[in-house]
Amino acid sequence: EAEYKLTTNLEILTDRLQQTYRDLESEKQKTDRLLYSVLPKTVANELRHQRPVAPKRYDSVTLMFSGIVGFGQYCAANM
């Protein structure tokens, strides 16, 4: 009986881990879509692979500065 419970618990935990992994992959895809939609592909690729981005001149750019109420507090609480 103890072995059955351990096996069952292991299967449950394995299923949860697999679901968490699928959720993580989904979030990574969302992050990548956002990254590639707001930055030039070359810059996004470098950032995606955690490499430094060399300064470069772009003929056409748009900058938007935005503040989200409570975002700093949210980040501090969730680090």
Side-chain angles (χ1 to χ4, degrees), residues 26-61:
S26 175
E27 290 303 314
K28 281 183 178 180
Q29 289 175 1
K30 289 178 190 177
T31 301
D32 283 348
R33 280 194 304 270
L34 176 62
L35 185 67
Y36 285 96
S37 73
V38 297
L39 295 173
K41 187 175 180 180
T42 55
V43 173
N45 283 335
E46 295 301 312
L47 291 174
R48 177 73 174 82
H49 295 98
Q50 299 179 348
R51 294 187 293 242
V53 178
K56 186 175 177 182
R57 180 179 175 89
Y58 293 92
D59 293 329
S60 177
V61 298

PDB file of all heavy atoms in Angstrom, residues 26-61:
ATOM      1  N   SER A  26       4.824  28.168 -22.839  1.00  0.00           N
ATOM      2  CA  SER A  26       3.819  29.073 -23.377  1.00  0.00           C
ATOM      3  C   SER A  26       4.157  30.522 -23.034  1.00  0.00           C
ATOM      4  O   SER A  26       4.065  31.416 -23.882  1.00  0.00           O
ATOM      5  CB  SER A  26       2.439  28.704 -22.830  1.00  0.00           C
ATOM      6  OG  SER A  26       1.477  29.637 -23.242  1.00  0.00           O
ATOM      7  N   GLU A  27       4.564  30.767 -21.803  1.00  0.00           N
ATOM      8  CA  GLU A  27       4.938  32.118 -21.384  1.00  0.00           C
ATOM      9  C   GLU A  27       6.193  32.590 -22.104  1.00  0.00           C
ATOM     10  O   GLU A  27       6.299  33.761 -22.477  1.00  0.00           O
ATOM     11  CB  GLU A  27       5.135  32.177 -19.869  1.00  0.00           C
ATOM     12  CG  GLU A  27       3.847  32.035 -19.083  1.00  0.00           C
ATOM     13  CD  GLU A  27       2.795  33.068 -19.428  1.00  0.00           C
ATOM     14  OE1 GLU A  27       3.124  34.275 -19.529  1.00  0.00           O
ATOM     15  OE2 GLU A  27       1.623  32.687 -19.606  1.00  0.00           O
ATOM     16  N   LYS A  28       7.138  31.695 -22.344  1.00  0.00           N
ATOM     17  CA  LYS A  28       8.336  32.056 -23.092  1.00  0.00           C
ATOM     18  C   LYS A  28       7.973  32.480 -24.512  1.00  0.00           C
ATOM     19  O   LYS A  28       8.529  33.431 -25.047  1.00  0.00           O
ATOM     20  CB  LYS A  28       9.312  30.883 -23.147  1.00  0.00           C
ATOM     21  CG  LYS A  28      10.111  30.682 -21.897  1.00  0.00           C
ATOM     22  CD  LYS A  28      11.093  29.528 -22.096  1.00  0.00           C
ATOM     23  CE  LYS A  28      11.957  29.297 -20.902  1.00  0.00           C
ATOM     24  NZ  LYS A  28      12.906  28.190 -21.109  1.00  0.00           N
ATOM     25  N   GLN A  29       7.043  31.764 -25.118  1.00  0.00           N
ATOM     26  CA  GLN A  29       6.607  32.120 -26.471  1.00  0.00           C
ATOM     27  C   GLN A  29       5.949  33.491 -26.487  1.00  0.00           C
ATOM     28  O   GLN A  29       6.185  34.288 -27.394  1.00  0.00           O
ATOM     29  CB  GLN A  29       5.661  31.058 -27.021  1.00  0.00           C
ATOM     30  CG  GLN A  29       6.350  29.761 -27.348  1.00  0.00           C
ATOM     31  CD  GLN A  29       5.383  28.673 -27.789  1.00  0.00           C
ATOM     32  OE1 GLN A  29       4.181  28.885 -27.864  1.00  0.00           O
ATOM     33  NE2 GLN A  29       5.912  27.486 -28.073  1.00  0.00           N
ATOM     34  N   LYS A  30       5.128  33.776 -25.480  1.00  0.00           N
ATOM     35  CA  LYS A  30       4.501  35.101 -25.388  1.00  0.00           C
ATOM     36  C   LYS A  30       5.558  36.187 -25.243  1.00  0.00           C
ATOM     37  O   LYS A  30       5.482  37.240 -25.884  1.00  0.00           O
ATOM     38  CB  LYS A  30       3.547  35.157 -24.191  1.00  0.00           C
ATOM     39  CG  LYS A  30       2.295  34.345 -24.351  1.00  0.00           C
ATOM     40  CD  LYS A  30       1.462  34.439 -23.087  1.00  0.00           C
ATOM     41  CE  LYS A  30       0.311  33.468 -23.070  1.00  0.00           C
ATOM     42  NZ  LYS A  30      -0.434  33.538 -21.804  1.00  0.00           N
ATOM     43  N   THR A  31       6.543  35.922 -24.389  1.00  0.00           N
ATOM     44  CA  THR A  31       7.618  36.884 -24.168  1.00  0.00           C
ATOM     45  C   THR A  31       8.393  37.120 -25.459  1.00  0.00           C
ATOM     46  O   THR A  31       8.704  38.263 -25.808  1.00  0.00           O
ATOM     47  CB  THR A  31       8.571  36.379 -23.061  1.00  0.00           C
ATOM     48  OG1 THR A  31       7.821  36.185 -21.871  1.00  0.00           O
ATOM     49  CG2 THR A  31       9.691  37.357 -22.795  1.00  0.00           C
ATOM     50  N   ASP A  32       8.699  36.042 -26.175  1.00  0.00           N
ATOM     51  CA  ASP A  32       9.420  36.175 -27.437  1.00  0.00           C
ATOM     52  C   ASP A  32       8.612  36.970 -28.455  1.00  0.00           C
ATOM     53  O   ASP A  32       9.160  37.829 -29.152  1.00  0.00           O
ATOM     54  CB  ASP A  32       9.777  34.807 -28.010  1.00  0.00           C
ATOM     55  CG  ASP A  32      10.959  34.167 -27.310  1.00  0.00           C
ATOM     56  OD1 ASP A  32      11.647  34.866 -26.526  1.00  0.00           O
ATOM     57  OD2 ASP A  32      11.195  32.965 -27.537  1.00  0.00           O
ATOM     58  N   ARG A  33       7.317  36.691 -28.561  1.00  0.00           N
ATOM     59  CA  ARG A  33       6.484  37.442 -29.514  1.00  0.00           C
ATOM     60  C   ARG A  33       6.504  38.931 -29.187  1.00  0.00           C
ATOM     61  O   ARG A  33       6.619  39.773 -30.085  1.00  0.00           O
ATOM     62  CB  ARG A  33       5.047  36.910 -29.504  1.00  0.00           C
ATOM     63  CG  ARG A  33       4.870  35.652 -30.322  1.00  0.00           C
ATOM     64  CD  ARG A  33       3.406  35.339 -30.585  1.00  0.00           C
ATOM     65  NE  ARG A  33       2.598  35.231 -29.388  1.00  0.00           N
ATOM     66  CZ  ARG A  33       2.391  34.116 -28.693  1.00  0.00           C
ATOM     67  NH1 ARG A  33       2.948  32.989 -29.087  1.00  0.00           N
ATOM     68  NH2 ARG A  33       1.624  34.120 -27.625  1.00  0.00           N
ATOM     69  N   LEU A  34       6.395  39.258 -27.901  1.00  0.00           N
ATOM     70  CA  LEU A  34       6.431  40.660 -27.492  1.00  0.00           C
ATOM     71  C   LEU A  34       7.791  41.270 -27.815  1.00  0.00           C
ATOM     72  O   LEU A  34       7.878  42.352 -28.392  1.00  0.00           O
ATOM     73  CB  LEU A  34       6.130  40.792 -25.994  1.00  0.00           C
ATOM     74  CG  LEU A  34       6.222  42.199 -25.425  1.00  0.00           C
ATOM     75  CD1 LEU A  34       5.205  43.128 -26.098  1.00  0.00           C
ATOM     76  CD2 LEU A  34       6.006  42.175 -23.919  1.00  0.00           C
ATOM     77  N   LEU A  35       8.861  40.581 -27.450  1.00  0.00           N
ATOM     78  CA  LEU A  35      10.216  41.071 -27.692  1.00  0.00           C
ATOM     79  C   LEU A  35      10.443  41.337 -29.169  1.00  0.00           C
ATOM     80  O   LEU A  35      10.922  42.405 -29.552  1.00  0.00           O
ATOM     81  CB  LEU A  35      11.233  40.047 -27.171  1.00  0.00           C
ATOM     82  CG  LEU A  35      12.705  40.439 -27.228  1.00  0.00           C
ATOM     83  CD1 LEU A  35      12.988  41.583 -26.259  1.00  0.00           C
ATOM     84  CD2 LEU A  35      13.576  39.234 -26.882  1.00  0.00           C
ATOM     85  N   TYR A  36      10.066  40.379 -30.009  1.00  0.00           N
ATOM     86  CA  TYR A  36      10.284  40.533 -31.449  1.00  0.00           C
ATOM     87  C   TYR A  36       9.324  41.523 -32.096  1.00  0.00           C
ATOM     88  O   TYR A  36       9.587  42.005 -33.187  1.00  0.00           O
ATOM     89  CB  TYR A  36      10.211  39.172 -32.145  1.00  0.00           C
ATOM     90  CG  TYR A  36      11.448  38.331 -31.897  1.00  0.00           C
ATOM     91  CD1 TYR A  36      11.475  37.386 -30.885  1.00  0.00           C
ATOM     92  CD2 TYR A  36      12.593  38.499 -32.669  1.00  0.00           C
ATOM     93  CE1 TYR A  36      12.616  36.623 -30.640  1.00  0.00           C
ATOM     94  CE2 TYR A  36      13.738  37.749 -32.441  1.00  0.00           C
ATOM     95  CZ  TYR A  36      13.735  36.813 -31.419  1.00  0.00           C
ATOM     96  OH  TYR A  36      14.872  36.074 -31.187  1.00  0.00           O
ATOM     97  N   SER A  37       8.246  41.855 -31.424  1.00  0.00           N
ATOM     98  CA  SER A  37       7.317  42.823 -32.007  1.00  0.00           C
ATOM     99  C   SER A  37       7.710  44.262 -31.701  1.00  0.00           C
ATOM    100  O   SER A  37       7.265  45.170 -32.399  1.00  0.00           O
ATOM    101  CB  SER A  37       5.890  42.560 -31.515  1.00  0.00           C
ATOM    102  OG  SER A  37       5.748  42.942 -30.165  1.00  0.00           O
ATOM    103  N   VAL A  38       8.538  44.483 -30.684  1.00  0.00           N
ATOM    104  CA  VAL A  38       8.878  45.860 -30.319  1.00  0.00           C
ATOM    105  C   VAL A  38      10.331  46.233 -30.607  1.00  0.00           C
ATOM    106  O   VAL A  38      10.682  47.399 -30.527  1.00  0.00           O
ATOM    107  CB  VAL A  38       8.560  46.158 -28.833  1.00  0.00           C
ATOM    108  CG1 VAL A  38       7.082  46.025 -28.558  1.00  0.00           C
ATOM    109  CG2 VAL A  38       9.365  45.292 -27.897  1.00  0.00           C
ATOM    110  N   LEU A  39      11.163  45.250 -30.922  1.00  0.00           N
ATOM    111  CA  LEU A  39      12.579  45.528 -31.180  1.00  0.00           C
ATOM    112  C   LEU A  39      12.983  44.982 -32.543  1.00  0.00           C
ATOM    113  O   LEU A  39      12.393  44.024 -33.032  1.00  0.00           O
ATOM    114  CB  LEU A  39      13.452  44.862 -30.113  1.00  0.00           C
ATOM    115  CG  LEU A  39      13.297  45.370 -28.689  1.00  0.00           C
ATOM    116  CD1 LEU A  39      14.097  44.507 -27.731  1.00  0.00           C
ATOM    117  CD2 LEU A  39      13.735  46.815 -28.583  1.00  0.00           C
ATOM    118  N   PRO A  40      14.019  45.588 -33.132  1.00  0.00           N
ATOM    119  CA  PRO A  40      14.552  45.004 -34.374  1.00  0.00           C
ATOM    120  C   PRO A  40      15.003  43.573 -34.119  1.00  0.00           C
ATOM    121  O   PRO A  40      15.464  43.235 -33.019  1.00  0.00           O
ATOM    122  CB  PRO A  40      15.749  45.907 -34.709  1.00  0.00           C
ATOM    123  CG  PRO A  40      15.476  47.189 -33.988  1.00  0.00           C
ATOM    124  CD  PRO A  40      14.719  46.811 -32.751  1.00  0.00           C
ATOM    125  N   LYS A  41      14.871  42.736 -35.123  1.00  0.00           N
ATOM    126  CA  LYS A  41      15.173  41.311 -34.967  1.00  0.00           C
ATOM    127  C   LYS A  41      16.589  41.072 -34.443  1.00  0.00           C
ATOM    128  O   LYS A  41      16.801  40.232 -33.572  1.00  0.00           O
ATOM    129  CB  LYS A  41      14.959  40.589 -36.291  1.00  0.00           C
ATOM    130  CG  LYS A  41      15.093  39.098 -36.186  1.00  0.00           C
ATOM    131  CD  LYS A  41      14.765  38.400 -37.490  1.00  0.00           C
ATOM    132  CE  LYS A  41      14.913  36.900 -37.298  1.00  0.00           C
ATOM    133  NZ  LYS A  41      14.622  36.155 -38.504  1.00  0.00           N
ATOM    134  N   THR A  42      17.557  41.822 -34.963  1.00  0.00           N
ATOM    135  CA  THR A  42      18.940  41.616 -34.520  1.00  0.00           C
ATOM    136  C   THR A  42      19.104  41.930 -33.037  1.00  0.00           C
ATOM    137  O   THR A  42      19.794  41.202 -32.316  1.00  0.00           O
ATOM    138  CB  THR A  42      19.915  42.484 -35.332  1.00  0.00           C
ATOM    139  OG1 THR A  42      19.506  43.854 -35.247  1.00  0.00           O
ATOM    140  CG2 THR A  42      19.968  42.046 -36.784  1.00  0.00           C
ATOM    141  N   VAL A  43      18.471  42.979 -32.564  1.00  0.00           N
ATOM    142  CA  VAL A  43      18.540  43.350 -31.152  1.00  0.00           C
ATOM    143  C   VAL A  43      17.816  42.307 -30.306  1.00  0.00           C
ATOM    144  O   VAL A  43      18.326  41.854 -29.276  1.00  0.00           O
ATOM    145  CB  VAL A  43      17.949  44.754 -30.922  1.00  0.00           C
ATOM    146  CG1 VAL A  43      17.871  45.082 -29.436  1.00  0.00           C
ATOM    147  CG2 VAL A  43      18.760  45.812 -31.662  1.00  0.00           C
ATOM    148  N   ALA A  44      16.637  41.911 -30.731  1.00  0.00           N
ATOM    149  CA  ALA A  44      15.861  40.916 -29.992  1.00  0.00           C
ATOM    150  C   ALA A  44      16.631  39.602 -29.873  1.00  0.00           C
ATOM    151  O   ALA A  44      16.634  38.975 -28.809  1.00  0.00           O
ATOM    152  CB  ALA A  44      14.513  40.690 -30.672  1.00  0.00           C
ATOM    153  N   ASN A  45      17.299  39.192 -30.955  1.00  0.00           N
ATOM    154  CA  ASN A  45      18.085  37.953 -30.915  1.00  0.00           C
ATOM    155  C   ASN A  45      19.195  38.032 -29.876  1.00  0.00           C
ATOM    156  O   ASN A  45      19.423  37.080 -29.125  1.00  0.00           O
ATOM    157  CB  ASN A  45      18.685  37.635 -32.282  1.00  0.00           C
ATOM    158  CG  ASN A  45      17.679  37.060 -33.236  1.00  0.00           C
ATOM    159  OD1 ASN A  45      16.679  36.465 -32.838  1.00  0.00           O
ATOM    160  ND2 ASN A  45      17.920  37.243 -34.523  1.00  0.00           N
ATOM    161  N   GLU A  46      19.891  39.151 -29.851  1.00  0.00           N
ATOM    162  CA  GLU A  46      20.979  39.303 -28.887  1.00  0.00           C
ATOM    163  C   GLU A  46      20.442  39.289 -27.453  1.00  0.00           C
ATOM    164  O   GLU A  46      20.999  38.619 -26.577  1.00  0.00           O
ATOM    165  CB  GLU A  46      21.767  40.592 -29.144  1.00  0.00           C
ATOM    166  CG  GLU A  46      22.506  40.608 -30.464  1.00  0.00           C
ATOM    167  CD  GLU A  46      23.501  39.475 -30.614  1.00  0.00           C
ATOM    168  OE1 GLU A  46      24.291  39.237 -29.686  1.00  0.00           O
ATOM    169  OE2 GLU A  46      23.479  38.803 -31.663  1.00  0.00           O
ATOM    170  N   LEU A  47      19.376  40.008 -27.209  1.00  0.00           N
ATOM    171  CA  LEU A  47      18.796  40.025 -25.870  1.00  0.00           C
ATOM    172  C   LEU A  47      18.277  38.649 -25.483  1.00  0.00           C
ATOM    173  O   LEU A  47      18.433  38.216 -24.337  1.00  0.00           O
ATOM    174  CB  LEU A  47      17.664  41.051 -25.798  1.00  0.00           C
ATOM    175  CG  LEU A  47      18.085  42.513 -25.896  1.00  0.00           C
ATOM    176  CD1 LEU A  47      16.851  43.407 -25.959  1.00  0.00           C
ATOM    177  CD2 LEU A  47      18.989  42.898 -24.739  1.00  0.00           C
ATOM    178  N   ARG A  48      17.661  37.979 -26.425  1.00  0.00           N
ATOM    179  CA  ARG A  48      17.096  36.642 -26.173  1.00  0.00           C
ATOM    180  C   ARG A  48      18.169  35.659 -25.724  1.00  0.00           C
ATOM    181  O   ARG A  48      17.933  34.794 -24.915  1.00  0.00           O
ATOM    182  CB  ARG A  48      16.408  36.150 -27.449  1.00  0.00           C
ATOM    183  CG  ARG A  48      15.845  34.769 -27.393  1.00  0.00           C
ATOM    184  CD  ARG A  48      14.586  34.757 -26.537  1.00  0.00           C
ATOM    185  NE  ARG A  48      13.931  33.496 -26.573  1.00  0.00           N
ATOM    186  CZ  ARG A  48      14.273  32.442 -25.822  1.00  0.00           C
ATOM    187  NH1 ARG A  48      15.276  32.518 -25.009  1.00  0.00           N
ATOM    188  NH2 ARG A  48      13.605  31.323 -25.913  1.00  0.00           N
ATOM    189  N   HIS A  49      19.374  35.845 -26.261  1.00  0.00           N
ATOM    190  CA  HIS A  49      20.483  34.944 -25.921  1.00  0.00           C
ATOM    191  C   HIS A  49      21.405  35.555 -24.860  1.00  0.00           C
ATOM    192  O   HIS A  49      22.522  35.086 -24.675  1.00  0.00           O
ATOM    193  CB  HIS A  49      21.258  34.577 -27.183  1.00  0.00           C
ATOM    194  CG  HIS A  49      20.429  33.778 -28.133  1.00  0.00           C
ATOM    195  ND1 HIS A  49      19.772  34.336 -29.211  1.00  0.00           N
ATOM    196  CD2 HIS A  49      20.098  32.468 -28.143  1.00  0.00           C
ATOM    197  CE1 HIS A  49      19.100  33.398 -29.849  1.00  0.00           C
ATOM    198  NE2 HIS A  49      19.271  32.256 -29.221  1.00  0.00           N
ATOM    199  N   GLN A  50      20.918  36.601 -24.198  1.00  0.00           N
ATOM    200  CA  GLN A  50      21.628  37.251 -23.093  1.00  0.00           C
ATOM    201  C   GLN A  50      23.024  37.713 -23.484  1.00  0.00           C
ATOM    202  O   GLN A  50      23.972  37.595 -22.719  1.00  0.00           O
ATOM    203  CB  GLN A  50      21.683  36.321 -21.876  1.00  0.00           C
ATOM    204  CG  GLN A  50      20.313  35.966 -21.361  1.00  0.00           C
ATOM    205  CD  GLN A  50      20.348  35.035 -20.163  1.00  0.00           C
ATOM    206  OE1 GLN A  50      21.370  34.463 -19.826  1.00  0.00           O
ATOM    207  NE2 GLN A  50      19.214  34.893 -19.521  1.00  0.00           N
ATOM    208  N   ARG A  51      23.115  38.252 -24.692  1.00  0.00           N
ATOM    209  CA  ARG A  51      24.381  38.802 -25.162  1.00  0.00           C
ATOM    210  C   ARG A  51      24.267  40.322 -25.190  1.00  0.00           C
ATOM    211  O   ARG A  51      23.171  40.870 -25.355  1.00  0.00           O
ATOM    212  CB  ARG A  51      24.709  38.260 -26.549  1.00  0.00           C
ATOM    213  CG  ARG A  51      24.985  36.763 -26.557  1.00  0.00           C
ATOM    214  CD  ARG A  51      25.477  36.290 -27.900  1.00  0.00           C
ATOM    215  NE  ARG A  51      24.460  36.384 -28.931  1.00  0.00           N
ATOM    216  CZ  ARG A  51      23.966  35.348 -29.598  1.00  0.00           C
ATOM    217  NH1 ARG A  51      24.399  34.136 -29.349  1.00  0.00           N
ATOM    218  NH2 ARG A  51      23.058  35.523 -30.532  1.00  0.00           N
ATOM    219  N   PRO A  52      25.387  41.012 -25.058  1.00  0.00           N
ATOM    220  CA  PRO A  52      25.330  42.478 -25.121  1.00  0.00           C
ATOM    221  C   PRO A  52      24.912  42.944 -26.513  1.00  0.00           C
ATOM    222  O   PRO A  52      25.197  42.284 -27.512  1.00  0.00           O
ATOM    223  CB  PRO A  52      26.758  42.918 -24.793  1.00  0.00           C
ATOM    224  CG  PRO A  52      27.610  41.709 -24.997  1.00  0.00           C
ATOM    225  CD  PRO A  52      26.727  40.503 -24.834  1.00  0.00           C
ATOM    226  N   VAL A  53      24.237  44.071 -26.544  1.00  0.00           N
ATOM    227  CA  VAL A  53      23.773  44.636 -27.813  1.00  0.00           C
ATOM    228  C   VAL A  53      24.631  45.855 -28.124  1.00  0.00           C
ATOM    229  O   VAL A  53      24.667  46.812 -27.352  1.00  0.00           O
ATOM    230  CB  VAL A  53      22.288  45.039 -27.732  1.00  0.00           C
ATOM    231  CG1 VAL A  53      21.837  45.667 -29.043  1.00  0.00           C
ATOM    232  CG2 VAL A  53      21.431  43.839 -27.375  1.00  0.00           C
ATOM    233  N   ALA A  54      25.318  45.766 -29.235  1.00  0.00           N
ATOM    234  CA  ALA A  54      26.164  46.881 -29.652  1.00  0.00           C
ATOM    235  C   ALA A  54      25.299  48.050 -30.109  1.00  0.00           C
ATOM    236  O   ALA A  54      24.244  47.842 -30.724  1.00  0.00           O
ATOM    237  CB  ALA A  54      27.087  46.435 -30.789  1.00  0.00           C
ATOM    238  N   PRO A  55      25.722  49.284 -29.808  1.00  0.00           N
ATOM    239  CA  PRO A  55      24.962  50.447 -30.283  1.00  0.00           C
ATOM    240  C   PRO A  55      24.884  50.451 -31.806  1.00  0.00           C
ATOM    241  O   PRO A  55      25.848  50.095 -32.492  1.00  0.00           O
ATOM    242  CB  PRO A  55      25.766  51.642 -29.773  1.00  0.00           C
ATOM    243  CG  PRO A  55      26.671  51.105 -28.725  1.00  0.00           C
ATOM    244  CD  PRO A  55      26.900  49.664 -29.044  1.00  0.00           C
ATOM    245  N   LYS A  56      23.751  50.843 -32.317  1.00  0.00           N
ATOM    246  CA  LYS A  56      23.559  50.875 -33.765  1.00  0.00           C
ATOM    247  C   LYS A  56      22.570  51.979 -34.091  1.00  0.00           C
ATOM    248  O   LYS A  56      21.684  52.284 -33.294  1.00  0.00           O
ATOM    249  CB  LYS A  56      23.009  49.519 -34.238  1.00  0.00           C
ATOM    250  CG  LYS A  56      22.908  49.387 -35.719  1.00  0.00           C
ATOM    251  CD  LYS A  56      22.469  47.985 -36.122  1.00  0.00           C
ATOM    252  CE  LYS A  56      22.315  47.902 -37.620  1.00  0.00           C
ATOM    253  NZ  LYS A  56      21.849  46.593 -38.042  1.00  0.00           N
ATOM    254  N   ARG A  57      22.709  52.557 -35.249  1.00  0.00           N
ATOM    255  CA  ARG A  57      21.812  53.629 -35.667  1.00  0.00           C
ATOM    256  C   ARG A  57      20.663  53.020 -36.475  1.00  0.00           C
ATOM    257  O   ARG A  57      20.866  52.192 -37.359  1.00  0.00           O
ATOM    258  CB  ARG A  57      22.566  54.635 -36.525  1.00  0.00           C
ATOM    259  CG  ARG A  57      21.704  55.766 -36.997  1.00  0.00           C
ATOM    260  CD  ARG A  57      22.520  56.744 -37.819  1.00  0.00           C
ATOM    261  NE  ARG A  57      21.677  57.752 -38.360  1.00  0.00           N
ATOM    262  CZ  ARG A  57      21.379  58.884 -37.750  1.00  0.00           C
ATOM    263  NH1 ARG A  57      21.881  59.130 -36.570  1.00  0.00           N
ATOM    264  NH2 ARG A  57      20.582  59.764 -38.322  1.00  0.00           N
ATOM    265  N   TYR A  58      19.450  53.462 -36.153  1.00  0.00           N
ATOM    266  CA  TYR A  58      18.263  53.041 -36.889  1.00  0.00           C
ATOM    267  C   TYR A  58      17.598  54.280 -37.462  1.00  0.00           C
ATOM    268  O   TYR A  58      17.432  55.287 -36.766  1.00  0.00           O
ATOM    269  CB  TYR A  58      17.291  52.280 -35.977  1.00  0.00           C
ATOM    270  CG  TYR A  58      17.842  50.946 -35.526  1.00  0.00           C
ATOM    271  CD1 TYR A  58      18.546  50.838 -34.327  1.00  0.00           C
ATOM    272  CD2 TYR A  58      17.692  49.825 -36.310  1.00  0.00           C
ATOM    273  CE1 TYR A  58      19.076  49.617 -33.927  1.00  0.00           C
ATOM    274  CE2 TYR A  58      18.219  48.600 -35.920  1.00  0.00           C
ATOM    275  CZ  TYR A  58      18.911  48.507 -34.727  1.00  0.00           C
ATOM    276  OH  TYR A  58      19.432  47.304 -34.338  1.00  0.00           O
ATOM    277  N   ASP A  59      17.225  54.210 -38.736  1.00  0.00           N
ATOM    278  CA  ASP A  59      16.628  55.370 -39.398  1.00  0.00           C
ATOM    279  C   ASP A  59      15.243  55.701 -38.863  1.00  0.00           C
ATOM    280  O   ASP A  59      14.843  56.850 -38.801  1.00  0.00           O
ATOM    281  CB  ASP A  59      16.550  55.132 -40.907  1.00  0.00           C
ATOM    282  CG  ASP A  59      17.937  55.076 -41.537  1.00  0.00           C
ATOM    283  OD1 ASP A  59      18.846  55.762 -41.029  1.00  0.00           O
ATOM    284  OD2 ASP A  59      18.104  54.330 -42.517  1.00  0.00           O
ATOM    285  N   SER A  60      14.503  54.691 -38.463  1.00  0.00           N
ATOM    286  CA  SER A  60      13.131  54.922 -38.039  1.00  0.00           C
ATOM    287  C   SER A  60      12.873  54.189 -36.729  1.00  0.00           C
ATOM    288  O   SER A  60      12.981  52.966 -36.668  1.00  0.00           O
ATOM    289  CB  SER A  60      12.170  54.415 -39.121  1.00  0.00           C
ATOM    290  OG  SER A  60      10.845  54.564 -38.680  1.00  0.00           O
ATOM    291  N   VAL A  61      12.556  54.948 -35.694  1.00  0.00           N
ATOM    292  CA  VAL A  61      12.258  54.343 -34.396  1.00  0.00           C
ATOM    293  C   VAL A  61      11.110  55.091 -33.741  1.00  0.00           C
ATOM    294  O   VAL A  61      10.824  56.234 -34.049  1.00  0.00           O
ATOM    295  CB  VAL A  61      13.467  54.352 -33.428  1.00  0.00           C
ATOM    296  CG1 VAL A  61      14.602  53.542 -33.987  1.00  0.00           C
ATOM    297  CG2 VAL A  61      13.899  55.758 -33.105  1.00  0.00           C
TER     298      VAL A  61
END
